[in-house]
Amino acid sequence: MALSLKPAHLKRYKDLARLLLKYGDRSLVDRAGLDAALADEIADEELPTKGDPEQLAKDLEALGPTYIKLGQLLSTRTDLLPKPYLDALTKLQDDVDPFPFSEVEAIIEEELGVRLSKAFASFDAEPLAAASLGQVHRATLRDGRPVVVKVQRPDIRPRIVEDLEALGEVATFIDAHTDTGRKFAFADLLDQFRQTLLRELDYRREARNLQTLHDNLARYQEIVIPLPVDDYTSSRVLTMEYVRGTKVTKLSPLARLEIDGAALAEALSRAYLDQILIDGFFHADPHPGNVFITEDRRLALIDLGMVARVDPPMQESLLRLLLALAEGQGDEAATVGITLSTPLEDFDEGNYREAVRALVKEHRDASVEEVEVGRVVVELSRLAAENALRPPPELALLGKTLLNLDAITRALDPTIRPNDVVRRYASEITQRRMMRNLSPGRLFTTALEMNELVQTLPGRVNALLDALTKQEFMLRIQGIDELRLLANLHRIANRVSVSIVLAALIVGAALLMRVQTRFTVFGYPGLAMLLFLLAAGCGFYLVFSILLGEDKEPHARSPRGRGTR
């Protein structure tokens, strides 16, 4: 079966065929029918079957923005490519020639619906930076605020959509016709890439990301997140506060003496642990070019086009993984890795556990200069792939993020130990996660569930008692220990009774909150607050007694052990 070649995608098929011939399998090109696309244009001698990693990065750069972004994504997938290729793709440059200022002006006026001279007091024609998706200009608003304006390249969206369509057809073909495709599911990988890239093309989403991260990190005075200017932002134009500063990696030795590098490195590490393990929303591209030292000696995070989200179950697993790495617990790290990933048919658990134990031991014994949490997480993804264990994409992205973070914190403070930061902050992270679960919304949900319990429990208890009275209640148990069963039934009945009383106290307190009295506690009606505090105290005591008494099972004789010693 060959690909159904669409004339509109012919050039893109040729580009992909070149890549497959140089870095992939020539037989796959033949089976896909891509050899026909190249027949009259490229001689075999111009397409060596093997290419070096650096050349792959150059080839992707030459193919344009979609392939540059694809290369950057592949640089996070240690389970797909060997290390030399990963290192080469990590260095992929996103710097391209700027497009003319006349087009910048036309796009801004079309998007904002106002002339450039009316919207801005000044606007620099020379861009500060130009990338594959857009370029950035410095400007001043009418009220005097300095800003930067990010403008998307003209006609970039249709080009990317067509590139993605052609890539999708090839990925589906590879999945259906190769063992590697079935193992790694390239079509699914490309679907995730499509969603990420299309989101990055919507600058309104990046503006929301800036606002979200600014709110989440408000407690960190050492970190600055530039806020968007909503009235000057659209899907193709993003206006945000201008942050004056210097890239972390370009600080002079004298400038390093003027900043508290240790405090900044600690704050940045904690902020990222917060983003990943508490907020579930983190800046996924903290490379040195996106982190600045501001004039007031703070850290600024910019360019939030690439963000990632982590759901609560994944957060729990990642917290366990980071703690296992920090404490040097190889078996626990391997267990978490297996829990996170999808085992394939030939998964070798024994070999995987042994490899992870060796990796964690090497990490634990490393010197201060060699400790890199990000590198270990990246290596965990690689070990999983080598042992037929498919890791989740979040793990590879987390490893790449932490790897970049290690480089930045090391530039700020060469003596920092990421393991120590994780250990010191672990208890606070746990407490904050628990407090987050006690949000008003969650408490209200719990109250509704308790209300439902109070309403339905009497009817259920009556039905149970009626069945007992009419001798219709039956238990089918094999190998029963009657004394333990009776003791457990008494315990359950007592707890249910206490729970009903506590629920009644809480409901009564809620109703009495509406009755205004002269006697108050903390500004609320006194009797209602006393009932609530009594219910809360009894509730804590009940939970405490349940936890302590769980292991204290009553002594019961064995049904078959009478008369024995």
Side-chain angles (χ1 to χ4, degrees):
M1 174 185 175
L3 285 175
S4 176
L5 297 178
K6 298 181 180 179
H9 296 162
L10 187 58
K11 182 181 183 303
R12 291 172 175 82
Y13 291 134
K14 293 176 180 177
D15 293 336
L16 291 171
R18 288 187 180 94
L19 290 177
L20 288 172
L21 285 172
K22 290 182 70 173
Y23 307 98
D25 186 349
R26 182 177 293 269
S27 64
L28 183 62
V29 176
D30 295 336
R31 280 184 287 165
L34 293 175
D35 54 335
L38 292 172
D40 298 329
E41 297 192 15
I42 302 174
D44 286 344
E45 59 269 21
E46 296 177 359
L47 290 169
T49 56
K50 297 295 180 183
D52 64 87
E54 298 296 335
Q55 185 60 43
L56 173 61
K58 293 178 182 178
D59 288 342
L60 291 176
E61 285 181 9
L63 290 176
T66 307
Y67 294 90
I68 291 174
K69 294 296 181 182
L70 180 61
Q72 292 173 346
L73 171 66
L74 290 175
S75 70
T76 69
R77 295 303 300 265
T78 57
D79 53 329
L80 293 178
L81 296 174
K83 188 175 184 301
Y85 284 89
L86 296 173
D87 293 339
L89 293 178
T90 300
K91 301 173 186 176
L92 258 176
Q93 297 298 313
D94 203 11
D95 296 327
V96 297
D97 294 333
F99 55 95
F101 178 70
S102 59
E103 296 185 5
V104 172
E105 186 176 14
I107 291 172
I108 292 177
E109 292 180 353
E110 178 185 350
E111 290 294 312
L112 301 186
V114 64
R115 291 181 59 187
L116 187 70
S117 58
K118 294 290 185 182
F120 299 94
S122 65
F123 196 100
D124 292 352
E126 191 70 22
L128 291 174
S132 57
L133 299 185
Q135 62 190 39
V136 178
H137 293 258
R138 186 177 173 185
T140 305
L141 297 180
R142 284 289 177 182
D143 59 7
R145 282 183 293 168
V147 295
V148 292
V149 183
K150 187 175 179 181
V151 185
Q152 194 170 106
R153 286 187 173 273
D155 302 323
I156 193 68
R157 293 189 186 191
R159 178 180 177 181
I160 287 178
V161 169
E162 291 182 5
D163 285 342
L164 290 173
E165 185 176 345
L167 283 168
E169 293 174 5
V170 175
T172 301
F173 182 85
I174 292 175
D175 286 353
H177 293 83
T178 67
D179 292 335
T180 303
R182 284 185 285 271
K183 180 177 180 181
F184 292 107
F186 290 114
D188 293 341
L189 172 65
L190 190 67
D191 185 58
Q192 295 170 359
F193 171 63
R194 178 188 293 108
Q195 295 177 26
T196 300
L197 187 53
L198 293 180
R199 282 197 295 263
E200 195 171 348
L201 286 172
D202 187 353
Y203 287 170
R204 292 170 299 188
R205 186 181 296 272
E206 183 173 348
R208 292 194 294 271
N209 293 341
L210 287 167
Q211 184 67 58
T212 300
L213 192 64
H214 177 275
D215 295 342
N216 289 348
L217 299 184
R219 65 192 291 257
Y220 290 96
Q221 300 300 317
E222 304 92 340
I223 297 178
V224 179
I225 309 295
L227 286 173
V229 182
D230 292 334
D231 293 337
Y232 289 75
T233 296
S234 71
S235 63
R236 299 171 63 200
V237 175
L238 171 61
T239 304
M240 69 189 96
E241 296 174 339
Y242 175 63
V243 177
R244 189 188 302 273
T246 306
K247 292 182 180 179
V248 170
T249 53
K250 292 187 177 180
L251 286 175
S252 65
L254 182 60
R256 292 180 188 278
L257 295 176
E258 296 176 351
I259 64 173
D260 189 350
L264 291 177
E266 175 89 7
L268 186 63
S269 299
R270 288 180 171 238
Y272 263 86
L273 289 174
D274 273 358
Q275 291 177 58
I276 297 167
L277 301 176
I278 298 177
D279 302 323
F281 173 89
F282 66 95
H283 182 206
D285 194 22
H287 65 75
N290 287 341
V291 183
F292 284 68
I293 297 290
T294 64
E295 293 180 335
D296 58 353
R297 299 180 180 86
R298 295 192 292 169
L299 288 173
L301 301 180
I302 63 172
D303 191 2
L304 263 73
M306 183 181 293
V307 297
R309 287 173 171 79
V310 185
D311 57 24
M314 179 67 72
Q315 286 178 317
E316 295 286 350
S317 297
L318 292 178
L319 177 57
R320 287 176 55 199
L321 177 62
L322 291 177
L323 286 175
L325 295 178
E327 298 295 338
Q329 299 174 351
D331 281 325
E332 174 66 10
T335 299
V336 177
I338 295 172
T339 303
L340 283 171
S341 307
T342 303
L344 302 178
E345 292 181 1
D346 52 345
F347 171 50
D348 188 344
E349 181 173 349
N351 190 62
Y352 172 72
R353 286 186 176 276
E354 183 62 32
V356 172
R357 281 195 292 266
L359 174 66
V360 173
K361 182 180 184 303
E362 179 184 352
H363 170 69
R364 182 184 58 193
D365 298 337
S367 62
V368 174
E369 295 78 9
E370 297 171 336
V371 171
E372 289 184 316
V373 176
R375 178 71 65 186
V376 177
V377 176
V378 168
E379 286 295 309
L380 282 175
S381 295
R382 181 183 61 80
L383 291 176
E386 289 179 354
N387 291 277
L389 190 65
R390 183 186 295 169
E394 293 87 351
L395 187 61
L397 184 58
L398 173 67
K400 182 66 179 297
T401 301
L402 294 177
L403 196 59
N404 285 329
L405 185 63
D406 286 340
I408 296 170
T409 54
R410 193 79 67 194
L412 293 169
D413 179 19
T415 64
I416 190 171
R417 292 186 64 94
N419 287 347
D420 293 342
V421 177
V422 173
R423 288 193 197 98
R424 288 196 301 270
Y425 204 36
S427 60
E428 184 175 340
I429 289 175
T430 305
Q431 293 173 9
R432 292 186 62 196
R433 284 183 57 80
M434 293 177 63
M435 292 303 297
R436 197 176 184 86
N437 291 333
L438 295 177
S439 63
R442 292 179 184 271
L443 291 176
F444 184 69
T445 301
T446 303
L448 290 176
E449 292 175 351
M450 180 65 73
N451 180 56
E452 182 182 358
L453 172 65
V454 171
Q455 292 179 3
T456 60
L457 190 59
R460 294 175 180 175
V461 172
N462 284 336
L464 176 62
L465 293 176
D466 287 341
L468 289 172
T469 303
K470 297 176 182 178
Q471 298 182 355
E472 296 176 352
F473 185 78
M474 296 179 62
L475 288 176
R476 298 181 181 223
I477 301 176
Q478 294 180 350
I480 184 173
D481 185 342
E482 62 275 12
L483 293 181
R484 179 171 297 184
L485 173 63
L486 290 174
N488 286 333
L489 286 176
H490 281 300
R491 189 184 309 171
I492 292 171
N494 291 337
R495 290 176 181 174
V496 170
S497 300
V498 173
S499 298
I500 294 174
V501 173
L502 292 180
L505 286 175
I506 292 173
V507 173
L511 294 174
L512 288 174
M513 279 292 183
R514 301 191 176 200
V515 180
Q516 300 297 325
T517 63
R518 294 182 179 180
F519 171 56
T520 62
V521 176
F522 302 123
Y524 295 97
L527 181 57
M529 283 299 296
L530 290 177
L531 288 175
F532 176 78
L533 292 175
L534 176 61
C538 293
F540 281 122
Y541 175 77
L542 178 61
V543 172
F544 188 68
S545 64
I546 290 173
L547 294 177
L548 283 185
E550 201 67 41
D551 295 329
K552 298 179 180 179
E553 297 292 337
H555 175 72
R557 63 192 177 192
S558 171
R560 299 183 182 179
R562 296 183 180 93
T564 62
R565 295 187 180 179

